[in-house]
Amino acid sequence: MSYPLVVFDASTLILLAKIELLPLVAERVAAVVTPQVEIEATRQESRWDAKAVRVLIERRRISVRKADPMLTRRLAEDFRLEMGEASTLALAKTQGGMVATDDGVAIKACKLVGVPFVTALHVLLQAAERRVVDRSMALVKLEQLQKAGRYHPRILEEAMACLMKAGPAS
């Protein structure tokens, strides 16, 4: 079975680890990070989310691939991206993948370059829609994202409305 290629930047990787959704996602997509993102996401070894990312990489549930360095530098310069976000976008563009990012500048760059993207919030809503997590668990995870992420209140309200429309809680 072929899984969609999703190239994660550190922001989304860490958010999904914090709400304990990353292992479920890594089972359902071809999860990839660049070496720059691996370093960013696992740098603080004492944090449990960094440990969770490290374990998934060691178990090869998340693979590490290098991006084209010239394209990475060009994207970093053109869009004023940090190297993690630039390498993520470069790898997704050359590999035909999707970017997972919660970084506002990276989202704008994805739109301009024509690379599809998702945020941690999108991933959570899709997991609820596909019944990977039930609605009551999705609501708990939405509350966790609200605390850990930097989402505009309107976006969180829309996400809550989507979850409430999904039917009765399990």
Side-chain angles (χ1 to χ4, degrees), residues 38 42 50-64:
E38 177 185 17
T42 60
K51 289 177 186 177
V53 171
R54 168 65 49 217
V55 166
L56 290 170
I57 291 171
E58 287 172 355
R59 292 182 179 165
R60 292 182 165 71
R61 303 271 301 287
I62 297 174
S63 61
V64 180

Side-chain angles (χ1 to χ4, degrees), residues 2-19:
S2 177
Y3 293 107
L5 177 68
V6 180
V7 186
F8 289 83
D9 79 357
S11 63
T12 304
L13 200 64
I14 291 167
L15 283 172
L16 291 174
K18 284 183 178 186
I19 66 168

Side-chain angles (χ1 to χ4, degrees), residues 25-142:
V25 172
E27 288 176 4
R28 290 164 172 78
V29 301
V32 178
V33 296
T34 63
Q36 294 92 330
V37 170
E38 177 185 17
I39 291 166
E40 282 181 48
T42 60
R43 180 178 309 148
Q44 296 180 334
E45 294 177 16
S46 62
R47 294 180 55 128
W48 68 267
D49 51 288
K51 289 177 186 177
V53 171
R54 168 65 49 217
V55 166
L56 290 170
I57 291 171
E58 287 172 355
R59 292 182 179 165
R60 292 182 165 71
R61 303 271 301 287
I62 297 174
S63 61
V64 180
R65 295 187 201 165
K66 291 182 180 179
D68 178 293
M70 290 185 59
L71 179 56
T72 297
R73 276 193 299 280
R74 192 176 86 224
L75 290 168
E77 291 169 7
D78 289 352
F79 296 106
R80 297 181 186 192
L81 293 169
E82 297 296 326
M83 293 309 285
E85 286 79 11
S87 64
T88 297
L89 180 54
L91 186 60
K93 181 151 182 64
T94 58
Q95 299 290 307
M98 174 182 291
V99 169
T101 184
D102 281 77
D103 180 90
V105 177
I107 289 170
K108 289 176 186 172
C110 286
K111 290 177 181 178
L112 291 170
V113 174
V115 173
F117 69 92
V118 293
T119 66
L121 198 51
H122 289 119
V123 172
L124 174 59
L125 293 174
Q126 194 164 70
E129 181 181 303
R130 293 183 177 175
R131 306 232 190 284
V132 174
V133 295
D134 65 34
R135 188 178 79 176
S136 60
M137 183 55 69
L139 291 168
V140 169
K141 292 186 182 306
L142 178 61

